């Protein structure tokens, strides 16, 4: 087409319809811009088109209708001059009828490059929506002349619609990016980026199935850093994180293709080596030793921490799939071998060897070492309770949550997340739970005696579905309350939303509610499939999971999620506790969203009762 042609109205309408069709598809911003340029070149009276987008104070060339336009467009990106840059900077269209006229231009490099490829006139239109300039569309002609008002009006309309669609496409891009991040976060460790426990088990089970089909062997190596707690205690947690990320990167560099290195928790790593030969014991042993040697070499290099060079060693336990065919058992064997190695000489290698009977068949393996240690923890006085304050929106103390800890003889103070699943699986959770109730009631009585009205109104203990169906739970609680002169309202029970899948939980909860215990549901909103069951459950408090609170000050979507959860909770007559409040800004946001109570490091970190008591007494004395 030439500049003298009248703008074909139907063709322009077709362009608008085609652009709407592109935007209606599941496309991102880049695809939408490509479509815009191609449609403009095909349906408008121009010889070509291009588009650039804003990236901070710079622009980036995205697409041109023909390679001949790449030069002028790249000049605008690299030399920071040209009609698109001016259109973006001033949010106005830039029209040049003749690039040879120095009065109409102020971009020498751009003009020289554009004239060199045979174009004499250009118009650049900003892509603006809701006050935001997304980029600019520029249109080229080989002939000089006047851009007619009617055709410029069509160009403006096309650009305006494109900018509106860009906003929608950008939201889709952000949603897809967030979805990818969530998917990655659910399967990878946040600190090291390594696969987490869930992804490890998935890959290990797949490796075992493949090994069985092809008569190969899978080796699992449980790697535990020696004396890592001392790094945190001496140099701080930032130094500990540096050590963990460095160790993870160095061990990861030793992997063969197909191997998996995962971080379980703390300073524990697991390496899964697939496709080892099964042809002979000597060859298999040689392969395992080669992998261990590479790990040792990676760990042997010092790590600069401030002005100190730390040397890290590790105890490694090895188990082979020729003795196990299930993922849980194989990992347990490697874990047990590592503990044996660490108990004898930290830094050595332990290999799991199964005892055999008279017929040469493997005997049932002994009880897993960690399970045995956990079962003995209460009797050895290794269990501890830390308490974390729960405050109202004004910052006044409302309640506390009791959090069990295990003072492990080797690994130091372990949080509940590192052993509660094991306790639940082995059944020792019931005994631990009774101990927590007895200790918590005793502490609550001490607080009421020493602090009077300033004492927390309620202490919440965590209970799982297995404890709620324990017939001795009720008598245990009643005896503890009576012994210490407490009312049922002084002891609250908290359970995970995921516990609702057990129908027997409802009976246990109703009984505890009838007795007068405040009931709270943890991680509210994360188990959406069971939200409908909340109508049946007699809970009166709901904790918003900390994943919703994180980022609430900067992410409008997080704020919307918190507001939505508060709305759902209010409709079910539930009071809301925001969990994981780390900063004053987060505290203000969750309070503004309607949360009744707050919990997190901003309100007070979990700590022994003595420390909290001293803090509260000091606070009372200064009033």
């Amino acid at each position: 087409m030439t500049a003298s042609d009248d703008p074909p109205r139907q063709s322009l309408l077709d362009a608008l319809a085609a652009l709407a069709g592109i935007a209606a598809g599941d496309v991102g911003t880049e695809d939408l811009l490509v479509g815009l340029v191609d449609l403009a070149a095909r349906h408008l009276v121009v010889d070509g088109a291009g588009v650039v987008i804003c990236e901070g104070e710079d622009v980036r060339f995205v697409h041109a209708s023909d390679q001949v336009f790449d030069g002028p467009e790249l000049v605008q990106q690299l030399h920071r001059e040209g009609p698109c840059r001016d259109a973006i900077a001033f949010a106005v269209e830039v029209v040049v009828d003749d690039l040879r006229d120095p009065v109409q231009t102020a971009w020498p490099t751009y003009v020289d490059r554009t004239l060199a490829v045979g174009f004499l006139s250009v118009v650049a239109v900003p892509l603006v929506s809701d006050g935001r300039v997304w980029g600019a569309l520029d249109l080229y002609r080989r002939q000089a002349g006047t851009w007619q008002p009617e055709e410029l009006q069509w160009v403006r309309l096309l650009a305006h619609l494109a900018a509106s669609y860009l906003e929608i496409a950008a939201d889709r891009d952000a949603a897809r990016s967030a979805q990818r991040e969530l998917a990655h976060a659910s399967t990878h460790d946040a600190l090291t980026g390594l696969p987490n426990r869930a992804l490890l088990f998935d890959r290990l089970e797949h490796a075992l199935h493949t090994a069985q089909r092809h008569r190969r062997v899978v080796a699992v190596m449980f790697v535990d850093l020696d004396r890592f707690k001392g790094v945190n205690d001496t140099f701080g947690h930032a130094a500990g994180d540096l050590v963990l990320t460095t160790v993870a990167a160095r061990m990861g560099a030793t992997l063969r293709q197909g191997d998996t290195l995962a971080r379980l928790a703390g300073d524990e790593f697991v390496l899964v080596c697939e496709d080892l030969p099964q042809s002979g014991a000597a060859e298999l042993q040689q392969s395992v030793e080669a992998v261990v040697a590479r790990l040792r070499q990676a760990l042997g290099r010092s790590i600069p921490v401030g002005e100190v060079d730390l040397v890290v060693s590790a105890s490694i336990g090895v188990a082979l799939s020729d003795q196990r065919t299930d993922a849980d058992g194989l990992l347990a064997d490697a874990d047990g071998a590592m503990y044996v190695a660490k108990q004898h000489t930290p830094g050595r290698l332990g290999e799991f060897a199964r005892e055999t009977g008279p017929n040469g068949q493997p005997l049932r393996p002994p009880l897993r070492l960690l399970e045995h240690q956990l079962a003995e923890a209460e009797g050895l006085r290794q269990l501890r309770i830390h308490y974390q304050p729960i405050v109202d929106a004004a910052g006044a103390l409302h309640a506390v949550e009791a959090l069990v800890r295990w003072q492990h003889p080797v690994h130091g103070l372990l949080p509940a997340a590192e052993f509660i699943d094991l306790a639940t699986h082995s059944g020792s959770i019931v005994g631990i739970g009774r101990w927590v109730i007895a200790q918590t009631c005793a502490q609550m009585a001490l607080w009421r005696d020493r602090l009077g009205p300033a004492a927390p109104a309620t202490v919440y203990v965590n209970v799982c579905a297995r404890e709620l169906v324990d017939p001795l739970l009720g008598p245990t609680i009643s005896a503890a309350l009576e012994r210490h002169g407490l009312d049922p309202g002084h002891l609250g029970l908290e359970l995970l939303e995921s516990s609702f899948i057990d129908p027997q939980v409802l009976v246990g909860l109703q009984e505890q509610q009838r007795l007068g215990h405040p009931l709270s549901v943890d991680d509210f909103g994360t188990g959406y499939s069971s939200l409908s069951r909340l109508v049946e459950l007699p809970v009166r408090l709901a904790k918003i999971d900390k994943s919703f609170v994180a980022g609430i000050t900067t992410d409008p979507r997080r704020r919307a999620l918190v507001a939505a959860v508060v709305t759902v909770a209010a409709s079910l007559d539930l009071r809301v506790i925001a969990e994981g409040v780390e900063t004053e800004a987060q505290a203000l946001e969750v309070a503004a969203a309607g949360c009744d109570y707050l919990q997190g490091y901003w309100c007070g970190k979990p700590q022994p009762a003595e420390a909290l008591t001293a803090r509260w007494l000091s606070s009372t004395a200064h009033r």
Side-chain angles (χ1 to χ4, degrees):
M1 299 179 191
T2 66
S4 61
D5 293 332
D6 291 331
R9 184 176 297 273
Q10 187 57 51
S11 180
L12 293 170
L13 291 174
D14 290 343
L16 297 178
L19 185 62
I22 294 172
D26 188 22
V27 299
T29 54
E30 299 275 327
D31 291 334
L32 182 65
L33 289 169
V34 170
L36 169 65
V37 169
D38 292 341
L39 287 171
R42 188 163 65 249
H43 292 281
L44 299 179
V45 187
V46 296
D47 295 306
V51 68
V52 299
I53 60 172
C54 297
E55 289 190 341
E57 296 182 356
D58 291 325
V59 300
R60 176 170 63 85
F61 166 47
V62 176
H63 181 62
S65 57
D66 191 284
Q67 283 187 345
V68 72
F69 299 100
D70 288 359
E73 299 298 270
L74 286 171
V75 166
Q76 299 192 76
Q77 172 182 310
L78 299 175
H79 291 266
R80 301 188 175 188
E81 66 172 50
C84 283
R85 278 193 169 272
D86 285 4
I88 290 169
F90 302 105
V92 295
E93 64 189 45
V94 176
V95 181
V96 180
D97 290 316
D98 193 339
L99 287 166
R100 295 167 299 185
D101 181 0
V103 175
Q104 299 186 47
T105 63
W107 326 292
T109 306
Y110 168 80
V111 169
D112 290 346
R113 190 62 182 270
T114 306
L115 292 175
V117 292
F119 297 97
L120 298 179
S121 62
V122 65
V123 60
V125 185
L127 304 173
V128 184
S129 176
D130 289 337
R132 174 177 175 178
V133 181
W134 292 85
L137 170 71
D138 51 2
L139 308 171
Y140 292 89
R141 285 177 176 163
R142 293 185 181 277
Q143 295 180 351
T146 303
W147 293 83
Q148 300 299 320
E150 182 180 355
E151 61 184 350
L152 289 177
Q153 184 177 357
W154 279 105
V155 172
R156 293 188 203 104
L157 178 58
L158 184 63
H160 175 72
L161 289 177
S164 299
Y165 295 147
L166 274 172
E167 193 167 2
I168 297 172
D171 286 341
R172 279 198 294 256
D173 286 343
R176 277 191 286 263
S177 176
Q179 188 174 19
R180 286 193 297 270
E181 290 177 4
L182 286 173
H184 186 272
S186 68
T187 56
H188 290 77
D189 173 56
L191 177 64
T192 64
L194 294 176
N196 62 12
R197 181 185 292 271
L199 184 55
L200 168 69
F201 271 88
D202 181 71
R203 292 187 180 177
L204 179 53
E205 288 173 350
H206 180 268
L208 290 172
H209 289 311
T210 302
Q212 283 182 303
R213 287 199 306 270
H214 299 287
R215 295 182 175 275
R216 305 288 281 181
V217 175
V218 176
V220 173
M221 302 181 185
F222 203 111
V223 182
D224 186 275
L225 304 186
D226 298 321
R227 296 173 293 276
F228 179 73
K229 183 176 182 296
V231 175
N232 281 331
D233 292 344
T234 305
F235 301 99
H237 287 278
D241 288 349
L242 173 62
V243 169
L244 291 174
T245 54
T246 303
V247 164
R250 290 179 179 178
M251 288 196 295
T254 71
L255 302 185
R256 306 172 308 158
Q257 186 174 3
D259 290 348
T260 295
L261 178 66
R263 182 188 178 205
L264 286 192
D267 59 343
E268 295 177 339
F269 299 85
V270 172
L271 174 60
V272 176
C273 296
E274 301 186 37
D275 201 32
L276 295 177
Q278 199 180 33
S279 54
E283 184 181 0
L284 180 59
Q285 183 71 19
Q286 187 177 13
S287 298
V288 170
E289 289 177 352
V291 174
V292 172
R294 290 199 299 272
L295 289 177
R296 295 261 184 244
Q297 185 177 12
L299 292 168
R301 288 179 290 159
S302 62
I303 301 173
V305 177
E307 298 180 356
V308 178
D309 289 340
L310 295 180
V311 177
V312 177
S313 65
S315 299
I316 303 175
V318 178
L320 304 175
S321 64
D322 59 347
Q323 298 175 331
R324 278 281 195 181
T325 57
D326 62 295
D328 284 304
L330 189 59
L331 185 62
D333 291 346
D335 188 6
M338 183 277 298
Y339 270 104
V340 171
K342 186 176 287 287
Q343 284 187 331
H344 284 82
T345 307
R348 71 185 287 269
L349 173 67
E351 296 184 70
F352 180 85
R354 189 184 305 277
E355 297 178 3
T356 57
N359 58 358
Q361 294 298 312
L363 293 174
R364 183 181 179 88
L367 184 65
R368 191 178 172 197
L369 179 60
L370 190 58
E371 289 181 349
H372 178 70
Q373 292 176 331
L374 182 58
E376 293 183 337
E378 181 186 345
L380 295 174
R381 301 181 183 274
Q382 293 174 353
L383 297 181
R384 307 282 187 270
I385 299 179
H386 285 190
Y387 298 87
Q388 186 169 31
I390 300 171
V391 303
D392 63 22
L397 177 65
H398 168 68
V400 292
E401 180 182 2
L403 301 166
V404 66
R405 301 286 187 258
W406 179 12
Q407 189 66 53
H408 193 279
V410 174
H411 295 286
L413 191 67
L414 301 180
E418 295 194 23
F419 63 89
I420 284 298
D421 286 346
L422 178 61
T424 303
H425 178 75
S426 66
S428 60
I429 187 65
V430 174
I432 292 175
R434 294 174 188 169
W435 178 84
V436 170
I437 289 170
Q439 296 296 314
T440 299
C441 286
Q443 183 57 54
M444 189 64 172
L446 285 174
W447 276 332
R448 288 175 56 78
D449 180 59
R450 295 192 65 185
L451 301 172
T458 305
V459 58
Y460 286 89
V461 298
N462 292 276
V463 292
C464 65
R466 189 162 185 171
E467 292 173 87
L468 281 169
V469 300
D470 175 24
L472 294 179
L473 177 64
T476 298
I477 293 176
S478 298
L481 293 177
E482 183 177 355
R483 184 180 307 117
H484 299 290
L486 299 177
D487 296 326
H490 294 134
L491 180 67
L493 305 179
E494 183 175 303
L495 72 158
L496 290 173
E497 190 178 331
S498 57
S499 301
F500 300 164
I501 59 175
D502 188 339
Q504 292 181 300
V505 166
L506 179 59
V507 178
L509 280 178
Q510 289 173 333
E511 174 62 12
Q512 299 306 323
Q513 190 266 346
R514 184 188 66 80
L515 293 171
H517 296 287
L519 304 179
S520 171
V521 55
D522 198 7
D523 295 348
F524 179 73
T526 59
Y528 58 89
S529 61
S530 59
L531 282 176
S532 60
R533 294 215 60 202
L534 282 172
V535 179
E536 309 170 29
L537 298 168
V539 296
R540 289 294 172 262
L541 279 167
K543 278 189 176 180
I544 294 181
D545 184 65
K546 60 185 177 182
S547 62
F548 291 113
V549 175
I552 191 174
T553 58
T554 57
D555 188 350
R557 291 178 176 82
R558 299 287 179 92
R559 288 195 290 271
L561 280 172
V562 171
V565 173
V566 170
T567 301
V568 172
S571 69
L572 297 173
D573 196 26
L574 298 175
R575 306 294 295 276
V576 175
I577 302 173
E579 196 174 26
V581 179
E582 305 285 354
T583 65
E584 182 179 13
Q586 289 178 346
L588 293 173
E589 285 286 353
V590 296
C595 295
D596 302 285
Y597 304 109
L598 287 64
Q599 183 178 359
Y601 272 38
W602 174 255
C603 315
K605 65 180 181 179
Q607 52 195 300
E610 298 81 9
L612 272 179
T613 304
R615 170 184 162 187
W616 291 334
L617 286 172
S618 175
S619 176
T620 303
H622 285 85
R623 289 177 184 171

